[in-house]
């Protein structure tokens, strides 16, 4: 891995983040309503000129947008993400509360997707066209086609109404307080998200495996007298894992952005819910900084995937 | 006993609807230390023949449906995977057409050569030692450096040398080259040819060289098998084959190679028509629709291989009667 490769990717990542910052800032200013109307509602219309000026200067709205933007960005750089206007809690601590929930959910969903998707993909590929392949592919397609909230709702309906089992009802419990209960609370949402992932991972794994199998270098490997097992795992699997890594990385990035609907269904206080609530309450500071943090995570994950790529596929650096 | 005996080999595309032979009743012998050329147009079955020998035909849909392949007396048709694994790489090894795609892109050169040896129970240290040795033998400069490179960091010619080094690693008795220079520059072609000839002289390994280029054969091989439409139509030593071919196809093939002293205004000679499609093989001799000497019998019966002096050929019309 060359230094240049790393620096180039890092530069690209920072540029992306800056673009996201500009975008979020502009969009939030385009939405009708500012902090003052959000706080006071229709009563904001009754404010006197002096009161309004005082509030505007309190929120910094009297400054030109450019200096508002760089003021915000400067604060973010120094670690100050702003404050929630209603609760007075810092955005940093809101994120610190929500992030572990989202990360845990993302990791568990990802694990579910990989553990199910990779072996079934290979299993299907090595039985191409036969019954197990058709069955596996159909399940993959079903997994992809059903929206995750349908799976989530379905799981809740069955277990909660038929068996009275709904561990999420009591409110979210962090893993360090009660790991057992926490995992129970995470199980269904992770499955709901993981099934979709498993579907796409399985299909990508299968097609990549089949494609690599016909490459001439696989024949070379067999021609050297390597065992079938070695050809399958060392030669084919390693080459076929490259596209799987790509989609896994992208999906993981999305998951870290918070999964609004699933978090809503299972009452998990993750990033998705944080942003959704903040948008409803016009908490501009919260939305702005949280979205930037989400984007940063997405970019970091992609950067890591790129670096991992270069480790698996030596050709990446050249291109 | 010949090193490699291929007897009445038929390899077919096997489908539920029936099987279509793509090579038919192929007979070949390669003696210890001998160099055999297999020549023919694309689709004539030369690669399939040697891939069948290696047990590397894509299966399904291909399968050996008849005949025998004996390497050092051991029958390989119907041998189990374990046996084939033991034979591949150790007793015979193959160098393929396109070195750009025949090496594993995510594995270092050295590891690729070593893995062939460790698969045959060579110790790790010994394999590493031998890797440097063979890389040197095929004329790669600075083997310790090249060993740690990835395929994409090498030129086509260097990659083909690596393929040859890998094939040499376990000192097999038979090396099969499947158009190894087709994808390379002419100057590199010459170098590879020269290299193989030197290796052949120094190690005494038997070589089968598949090509569509008669010019290459003249400088390399002892004997030539000419294939057409999935059959061997003529086998002979290189000298008599070039001076007095016994099959009209061989004759036509040689006439179509432009010579240095041809009249430059004369049209290039080519064989009229196109090679037959495996699904629509003409009755009788496969070459008969394109043959200028064909007689009625050619369209009915496949001529048998008949011996004459140093070789054999399959044609109803003797050379003396060609006009």
């Amino acid at each position: 891995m060359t230094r240049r490769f790393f620096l180039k990717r890092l530069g690209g990542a920072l540029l992306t983040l800056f673009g996201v910052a500009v975008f979020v800032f502009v969009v939030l200013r385009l939405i009708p309503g500012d902090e003052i109307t959000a706080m006071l509602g229709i009563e904001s219309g009754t404010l006197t000129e002096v009161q309004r000026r005082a509030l505007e200067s309190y929120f910094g709205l009297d400054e030109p947008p450019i200096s508002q933007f760089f003021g915000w960005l400067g604060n973010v750089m120094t670690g100050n993400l702003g404050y929630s206007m209603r609760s007075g809690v810092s955005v940093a601590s809101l994120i610190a509360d929500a992030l572990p929930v989202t990360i845990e959910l993302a990791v568990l969903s990802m694990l579910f997707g990989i553990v199910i998707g990779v072996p079934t993909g290979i299993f299907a590929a090595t039985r191409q066209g036969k019954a197990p392949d058709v069955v596996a592919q159909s399940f993959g397609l079903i997994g992809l086609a059903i929206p995750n909230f349908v799976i989530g709702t379905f799981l809740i309906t069955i277990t909660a109404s038929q068996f009275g089992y709904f561990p999420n009802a009591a409110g979210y419990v962090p893993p360090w307080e009660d790991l057992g209960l926490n995992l129970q609370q995470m199980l269904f949402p992770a499955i709901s998200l993981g099934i979709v992932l498993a579907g796409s991972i399985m299909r990508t794994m299968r097609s990549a495996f089949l494609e690599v199998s016909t490459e001439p270098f696989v024949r070379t490997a067999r021609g050297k007298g390597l065992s079938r097992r070695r050809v399958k795992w060392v030669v084919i699997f390693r080459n076929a894992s490259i596209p799987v890594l790509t989609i896994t990385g992208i999906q993981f990035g999305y998951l870290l952005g918070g999964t609004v609907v699933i978090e809503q269904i299972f009452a998990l206080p993750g990033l998705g819910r944080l942003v959704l609530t903040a948008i409803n309450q016009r908490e501009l500071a919260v939305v702005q900084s949280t979205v930037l943090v989400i984007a940063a995570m997405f970019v970091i994950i992609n950067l890591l995937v790129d670096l991992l790529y270069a480790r698996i596929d030596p050709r990446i650096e050249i291109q | 006993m010949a090193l490699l005996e291929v007897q009445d080999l038929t390899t077919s595309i096997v489908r539920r609807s029936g099987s279509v032979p793509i090579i038919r009743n192929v007979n070949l012998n390669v003696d210890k230390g001998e160099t055999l050329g297999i020549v023919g147009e694309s689709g004539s079955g030369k690669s399939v023949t040697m891939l069948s020998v290696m047990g590397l035909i894509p299966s399904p849909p291909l399968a050996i449906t008849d005949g025998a392949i004996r390497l050092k007396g051991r029958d390989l048709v119907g041998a189990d995977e374990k046996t084939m694994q033991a034979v591949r790489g150790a007793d015979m090894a193959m160098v393929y057409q396109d070195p750009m795609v025949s090496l594993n892109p995510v594995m270092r050169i050295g590891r690729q050569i070593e893995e062939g040896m460790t698969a045959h129970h060579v110790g790790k240290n010994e394999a590493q030692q031998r890797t440097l040795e063979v890389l040197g033998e095929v004329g790669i400069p600075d083997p310790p450096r090249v060993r740690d490179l990835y395929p994409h960091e090498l030129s086509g010619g260097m990659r083909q040398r690596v393929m040859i080094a890998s094939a040499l690693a376990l000192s097999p008795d038979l090396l099969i080259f499947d158009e190894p220079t087709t994808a390379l520059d002419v100057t590199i072609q010459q170098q590879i040819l020269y290299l193989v000839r030197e290796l052949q002289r120094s190690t005494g390994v038997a070589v089968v060289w598949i090509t569509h280029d008669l010019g290459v054969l003249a400088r390399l091989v002892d004997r030539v098998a000419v294939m057409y439409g999935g059959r061997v139509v003529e086998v002979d030593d290189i000298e008599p084959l070039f001076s007095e071919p016994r099959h009209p196809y061989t004759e036509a093939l040689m006439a179509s190679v432009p010579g240095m002293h041809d009249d430059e205004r004369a049209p290039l000679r080519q064989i009229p028509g196109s090679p037959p499609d495996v699904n629509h093989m003409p009755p009788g001799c496969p070459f008969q629709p394109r043959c200028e000497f064909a007689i009625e019998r050619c369209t009915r019966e496949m001529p048998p291989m008949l011996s004459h002096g140093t070789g054999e050929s399959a044609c109803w019309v003797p050379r003396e009667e060609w006009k």
Side-chain angles (χ1 to χ4, degrees), chain A residues 141-213:
Chain A
L141 201 59
I142 292 170
L144 272 181
I146 302 179
N148 55 40
F149 62 86
V150 173
I151 301 173
T153 318
F154 177 76
L155 286 174
I156 286 188
T157 314
I158 300 287
T159 57
S161 70
Q162 299 300 312
F163 303 101
Y165 174 72
F166 188 51
N168 302 57
Y172 172 74
V173 177
W176 49 86
E177 276 175 25
D178 185 344
L179 185 63
L181 181 58
N182 172 269
L183 286 179
Q184 288 183 52
Q185 293 183 332
M186 285 292 180
L187 181 67
F188 288 159
I191 289 177
S192 311
L193 293 168
I195 283 180
V196 182
L197 288 173
S200 66
I201 289 175
M202 179 254 151
R203 293 179 70 85
T204 311
M205 186 76 244
R206 177 185 177 276
S207 64
F209 197 93
L210 285 175
E211 201 179 303
V212 174
S213 302

Side-chain angles (χ1 to χ4, degrees), chain A residues 4-311:
Chain A
R4 219 179 105 241
F5 172 75
F6 180 75
L7 289 177
K8 227 170 94 182
R9 287 292 150 88
L10 194 66
L14 289 176
L15 213 62
T16 311
L17 278 183
F18 184 77
V20 171
V22 171
F23 183 77
V24 174
F25 185 84
V26 170
V27 166
L28 285 181
R29 258 104 212 123
L30 289 179
I31 300 174
D34 52 19
E35 280 95 338
I36 301 169
T37 49
M39 188 169 69
L40 301 174
I42 43 171
E43 280 173 47
S44 64
T46 65
L47 287 172
T48 68
E49 188 64 11
V50 177
Q51 284 172 318
R52 171 168 284 279
R53 287 250 184 82
L55 281 170
E56 276 181 353
S57 112
Y58 173 75
F59 285 116
L61 297 174
D62 53 346
E63 288 184 46
I66 290 284
S67 70
Q68 282 185 39
F69 175 72
F70 282 104
W72 167 55
L73 211 57
N75 280 336
V76 169
M77 301 269 215
T78 58
N80 175 9
L81 299 180
Y83 290 87
S84 157
M85 185 171 76
R86 282 168 189 256
S87 56
V89 179
S90 74
V91 177
S93 77
L94 286 175
I95 292 176
D97 285 341
L99 196 56
V101 180
T102 296
I103 290 181
E104 190 189 357
L105 181 58
V107 169
L108 290 176
S109 315
M110 211 67 247
L111 283 180
F112 184 85
I114 292 171
V115 166
I116 303 289
V118 169
T120 46
I122 295 173
F123 180 80
T126 50
R127 287 156 188 79
Q128 189 193 5
K130 301 197 179 111
D133 179 28
V134 176
V135 172
Q137 277 209 79
S138 313
F139 273 106
L141 201 59
I142 292 170
L144 272 181
I146 302 179
N148 55 40
F149 62 86
V150 173
I151 301 173
T153 318
F154 177 76
L155 286 174
I156 286 188
T157 314
I158 300 287
T159 57
S161 70
Q162 299 300 312
F163 303 101
Y165 174 72
F166 188 51
N168 302 57
Y172 172 74
V173 177
W176 49 86
E177 276 175 25
D178 185 344
L179 185 63
L181 181 58
N182 172 269
L183 286 179
Q184 288 183 52
Q185 293 183 332
M186 285 292 180
L187 181 67
F188 288 159
I191 289 177
S192 311
L193 293 168
I195 283 180
V196 182
L197 288 173
S200 66
I201 289 175
M202 179 254 151
R203 293 179 70 85
T204 311
M205 186 76 244
R206 177 185 177 276
S207 64
F209 197 93
L210 285 175
E211 201 179 303
V212 174
S213 302
T214 62
E215 293 279 355
F217 62 78
V218 175
R219 185 178 62 192
T220 307
R222 291 185 56 216
K224 283 189 284 199
L226 302 195
S227 66
R228 274 187 197 283
R229 234 183 60 205
R230 196 176 157 85
V231 170
K232 184 170 162 185
W233 293 108
V234 178
V235 182
I236 305 179
F237 177 69
R238 180 139 183 237
N239 279 282
S241 63
I242 295 166
V244 176
L245 181 68
T246 313
I247 66 135
T248 310
I250 292 173
Q251 304 274 20
F252 192 62
Y254 280 123
L255 286 180
L256 282 186
T259 47
V260 179
V261 182
I262 288 295
E263 286 176 11
Q264 203 65 24
I265 294 176
F266 291 97
L268 295 174
L271 278 182
R273 255 183 40 153
L274 177 62
V275 176
L276 186 67
T277 319
I279 290 173
N280 285 336
Q281 299 175 344
R282 289 286 183 287
E283 292 258 31
L284 295 199
V286 179
V287 178
Q288 208 164 267
S289 297
T290 312
V291 169
L292 193 63
V293 168
I294 290 173
M297 288 193 303
F298 196 93
V299 166
I300 289 168
I301 291 296
N302 272 293
L303 190 65
L304 289 178
V305 169
D306 276 349
L307 297 181
L308 200 56
Y309 250 173
R311 283 208 58 84

Side-chain angles (χ1 to χ4, degrees), chain B residues 40-249:
Chain B
E41 289 163 289
S42 22
S44 59
K46 24 187 221 307
S47 297
V48 173
T49 303
M50 292 323 288
L51 285 173
S52 300
V53 169
M54 287 288 289
L56 292 178
I57 44 172
S59 158
L62 297 191
I64 295 172
T65 42
D66 197 15
I69 298 167
R70 273 185 290 275
L71 185 72
K72 296 198 277 188
R74 174 153 49 156
D75 197 348
L76 300 183
V77 175
D80 60 4
E81 181 63 21
K82 272 263 168 302
T83 311
M84 287 311 290
Q85 279 168 17
V87 170
R88 284 188 208 125
D91 295 322
M92 58 179 170
M94 191 154 173
V95 174
Y96 309 86
Q97 187 164 5
D98 191 350
M100 306 309 276
V101 292
S102 294
L103 287 162
N104 186 346
V106 303
M107 193 185 267
R108 292 181 202 276
I109 297 299
R111 292 275 299 113
Q112 298 198 38
I113 300 176
E114 285 158 27
E115 74 173 350
M117 286 185 271
T118 44
H120 293 278
H121 314 295
V122 175
K124 211 172 165 181
N125 288 333
E126 202 183 326
Q128 285 173 345
Q129 233 14 71
R130 177 75 179 144
T131 298
L132 293 179
E133 207 175 291
V134 285
L135 284 174
E137 273 175 42
V138 298
I140 283 178
D142 198 359
R145 190 182 67 88
V146 173
R147 175 183 63 180
D148 291 332
L149 296 179
Y150 286 101
H152 72 267
E153 296 172 288
L154 296 176
S155 68
M158 279 295 153
R159 289 190 214 186
Q160 200 58 297
R161 283 174 195 267
V162 168
M163 292 294 295
I164 296 171
S166 176
L168 284 174
L170 290 158
S171 312
D173 303 297
L174 176 66
L175 279 181
I176 301 165
F177 291 87
D178 186 1
E179 306 206 36
T181 59
T182 308
L184 304 176
D185 288 346
V186 181
T187 48
I188 310 294
Q189 259 182 44
Q190 298 302 324
Q191 293 173 11
I192 298 283
L193 267 177
Y194 181 76
L195 168 68
V196 173
R197 206 162 56 182
E198 285 309 301
L199 287 172
Q200 214 262 333
R201 273 178 202 159
S202 61
T203 62
V205 64
V207 168
V208 172
W209 187 284
I210 300 172
T211 183
H212 58 261
D213 185 351
L214 281 168
V216 168
L217 291 182
R219 274 168 293 152
L220 189 72
V221 306
D222 309 320
R223 246 173 121 70
V224 180
V226 181
M227 287 194 71
Y228 187 85
R231 290 179 189 271
V232 175
V233 292
E234 181 166 10
V235 187
D236 208 341
D237 289 351
I238 185 89
E239 293 282 330
L241 186 99
F242 270 63
S243 58
E244 229 175 74
R246 302 297 184 109
H247 196 282
Y249 176 64

Side-chain angles (χ1 to χ4, degrees), chain B residues 269-280:
Chain B
R269 267 183 291 179
Q270 54 172 12
I271 308 173
S274 50
D277 166 11
V278 286
N279 292 306
H280 305 96

